[in-house]
Amino acid sequence: MDGETALTAEVWHPAGPPRTAVLVFPTIMNATKAVEEKAARLAEAGYLAILCDLYGAQPEDLDAAKRLATGLRTNPVAYRRRLRAAEQFGRSLAPDLPMAAIGFCMGGQAALELARDGAEVLLCVSFHGLLDTDLPAQPGAIQTRILVCHGDADALVPRPAVLAFWEEMDRAGADWHFHAYSGVPHGFTNPYPSPADGRIAYNASADRQSWQAMLSMLDEVLIPATGEPASPSVGARDNPPSA
C-alpha cells in the first residue's frame, strides 16, 4: 500500500536460496511481457525478483500510462514515497536479504530516484532510463552504487541530460558507472517495442552487454556483503501477491 493506493507485485523465486532480492521497476506501461521476462531471468540467475507496481492499476494504452506517469513524475515527493512502498514490501518478503533495484525506461528513473532518496540498497541499475529529476541528490545522500546503461541515440535522453546527470552524481559524491552504447535508441532491452513510436527499438547487442554489466556489478557488490556468490539456479514464478 501507498496511502490509499493498493499496489501489487509479481514475484519470481530462484530454485535455491536467493543471493539477494531485486526490485524490478517497469516501464511507463507498468508490467509488460518484456519486463516480466527480465524478472524471470533474474530468478534463473539466483535472485528473488520482485516486479513492482508503479500505479496500482494497469494502463489500457499509452495515453492512459502517460497520465498516470505524469501524476507521479510531477510530484517527486509522492513519486519517492511510492518507490519506498515498493521497497518496504520487498523487505517484508525477504527481511534477511540485502536488496538491489533495477528499472527500465521510467523504471530506470525510478531506480535512480530511490538512490537519490538515500535508500540503503546495494545497487541501483537503470536500463535506458530517464535521468532527469526535480529533486537532485544532495551531497552524501546516495548510499548505493549506481549503474546506468544508456543508448547514446536515445531521443528521450539527449546528451545534455546525460551531462547534467554526471554533474549531479559528482556533486552528490555518488559511486556511479555509466555505460553508453553508440547508435542505440531508447528501449533497447525490449524485443516487443510499439511500432507506433519510432524512437524506441530493440538492440540485441546492447541488451546482452547491459545485462552482463548488471550481473557483473551484482557480483561485485554481493561478494563483500554476503561472501562468495552462489551458483546460478533455475527459477520459478509465484502468483502475484498483493503489496
Side-chain angles (χ1 to χ4, degrees), residues 19-24 41-43 45-48 98-102 121-125 127 144-145 147 210-230:
R19 300 185 64 195
T20 193
V22 181
L23 302 176
V24 181
R41 288 181 64 188
L42 278 170
Y47 298 96
L48 175 66
M99 181 171 286
I102 73 171
V121 298
L122 296 177
L123 177 67
C124 286
V125 184
F127 294 93
T144 179
R145 295 187 71 178
L147 170 63
S210 60
W211 191 256
Q212 289 303 313
M214 177 202 67
L215 292 177
S216 176
M217 187 73 83
L218 280 169
D219 278 342
E220 186 167 309
V221 298
L222 280 168
I223 289 171
T226 63
E228 288 296 320

Side-chain angles (χ1 to χ4, degrees), residues 7 32 36 47 51 53 57 83 92 111 163 168 186 202 231-233:
L7 304 171
T32 61
E36 288 175 340
Y47 298 96
L51 177 52
D53 179 2
L83 304 177
S92 73
L163 295 175
E168 178 198 356
H186 189 72
Y202 180 63
S231 299
S233 54

Side-chain angles (χ1 to χ4, degrees), residues 73-86:
R73 296 186 66 231
T74 56
N75 187 338
V77 173
Y79 193 4
R80 294 181 184 183
R81 187 177 64 238
R82 178 68 48 85
L83 304 177
R84 288 292 198 165

Side-chain angles (χ1 to χ4, degrees), residues 20-210:
T20 193
V22 181
L23 302 176
V24 181
F25 292 113
T27 73
I28 193 173
M29 294 301 298
N30 225 6
T32 61
K33 180 179 179 180
V35 180
E36 288 175 340
E37 288 178 353
K38 300 299 189 195
R41 288 181 64 188
L42 278 170
E44 290 169 1
Y47 298 96
L48 175 66
I50 304 163
L51 177 52
C52 304
D53 179 2
L54 291 175
Y55 309 130
Q58 188 63 28
E60 59 186 19
D61 55 29
L62 182 57
D63 287 340
K66 287 179 177 179
R67 289 192 294 272
L68 290 167
T70 299
L72 274 182
R73 296 186 66 231
T74 56
N75 187 338
V77 173
Y79 193 4
R80 294 181 184 183
R81 187 177 64 238
R82 178 68 48 85
L83 304 177
R84 288 292 198 165
E87 179 196 5
Q88 182 179 17
F89 175 65
R91 294 192 188 281
S92 73
L93 286 182
D96 298 325
L97 288 177
M99 181 171 286
I102 73 171
F104 302 85
C105 304
M106 180 177 170
Q109 181 188 51
L112 295 175
E113 286 293 278
L114 193 65
R116 289 173 171 122
D117 201 45
E120 294 185 1
V121 298
L122 296 177
L123 177 67
C124 286
V125 184
S126 167
F127 294 93
H128 45 82
L130 307 178
L131 302 179
D132 61 309
T133 182
D134 288 332
L135 285 178
Q138 296 301 304
I142 294 178
Q143 306 300 309
T144 179
R145 295 187 71 178
I146 289 174
L147 170 63
V148 174
C149 297
H150 170 73
D152 191 50
D154 190 333
L156 302 184
V157 188
R159 285 192 180 180
V162 170
L163 295 175
F165 174 76
W166 292 357
E167 291 167 358
E168 178 198 356
M169 291 298 102
D170 283 347
R171 287 193 301 270
D175 184 343
W176 58 281
H177 289 214
F178 195 100
H179 295 195
Y181 308 101
S182 66
V184 173
H186 189 72
F188 59 80
T189 67
N190 181 5
Y192 319 107
S194 169
D197 193 336
R199 300 173 299 175
I200 300 174
Y202 180 63
N203 185 284
S205 177
D207 186 18
R208 287 192 300 269
Q209 296 301 321
S210 60

